[in-house]
Amino acid sequence: MLKKFSLGLVMGLFLLAGFAHADDKKSHVLSMMEKAVAHYGSVGQEQAFKDYNQEGDYKNGEFYVIAQGMDGKIIFHGVNAKLIGRNLSGIKDTDGKQFIKDMITTAKNDGKGWVSYKWPHPETKKIAQKHTYVNRIGDIMLMIGYYE
């Protein structure tokens, strides 16, 4: 009986730790986005993109800024410059979800919000659940996400 209780307690604590970690990541993304939007507003697009590309406040590990036009065209990417200039509005995740279109819709309708989809983790290269926060600034949107 004690073994079952101990196992249940350990599993419960593990699940709580996982939820706390996801909440920490979500809070981190929201904090980064707040700083990124403020910085964009104070220094302008050109300087902001240069700054977003430096390790530190706007780029660390799995957290980085992406900027995209409302047409789906990538105009800045914090970890993959090869995507700049590409229109990704038709791209689908492994479940067939057109998540870029969802991001554009969220930005147009609400100005900001979360979009979830499955995407390769940049460090592990494995497909993982990703949650990206989108924030519209004029005719572009900034995006920062985290992986579960």
Side-chain angles (χ1 to χ4, degrees):
M1 178 73 170
L2 185 58
K3 283 185 179 181
K4 286 183 181 179
F5 176 76
S6 296
L7 181 61
L9 180 62
V10 169
M11 292 199 51
L13 290 173
F14 180 74
L15 287 172
L16 284 175
F19 288 127
H21 188 61
D23 285 344
D24 289 346
K25 286 184 170 190
K26 185 176 183 178
S27 296
H28 184 71
V29 166
L30 293 172
S31 176
M32 274 183 74
M33 182 62 80
E34 188 176 322
K35 289 177 189 172
V37 168
H39 190 63
Y40 185 96
S42 68
V43 301
Q45 181 173 298
E46 185 177 344
Q47 185 61 47
F49 289 174
K50 287 179 186 176
D51 296 340
Y52 295 163
N53 213 27
Q54 304 302 312
E55 290 291 328
D57 289 340
Y58 308 109
K59 181 178 176 181
N60 53 62
E62 73 179 66
F63 304 101
Y64 51 89
V65 177
I66 299 170
Q68 178 177 290
M70 298 305 289
D71 60 356
K73 189 175 182 181
I74 300 292
I75 55 176
F76 172 81
H77 199 291
V79 296
N80 191 350
K82 292 177 186 174
L83 294 176
I84 295 172
R86 293 189 53 198
N87 187 321
L88 303 179
S89 61
I91 200 166
K92 297 177 183 178
D93 75 357
T94 57
D95 291 335
K97 181 177 183 177
Q98 290 185 307
F99 61 94
I100 299 293
K101 286 186 178 182
D102 290 350
M103 291 175 179
I104 293 168
T105 300
T106 298
K108 283 182 178 178
N109 294 341
D110 304 323
K112 54 188 166 185
W114 291 97
V115 175
S116 298
Y117 53 99
K118 293 184 179 165
W119 199 247
H121 192 289
E123 295 168 349
T124 68
K125 308 300 183 214
K126 294 181 180 178
I127 299 296
Q129 186 67 42
K130 185 169 185 180
H131 308 280
T132 297
Y133 193 73
V134 178
N135 194 318
R136 183 175 182 176
I137 304 173
D139 61 350
I140 72 160
M141 58 184 171
L142 297 182
M143 302 173 291
I144 304 172
Y146 71 91
Y147 293 86
E148 286 184 8

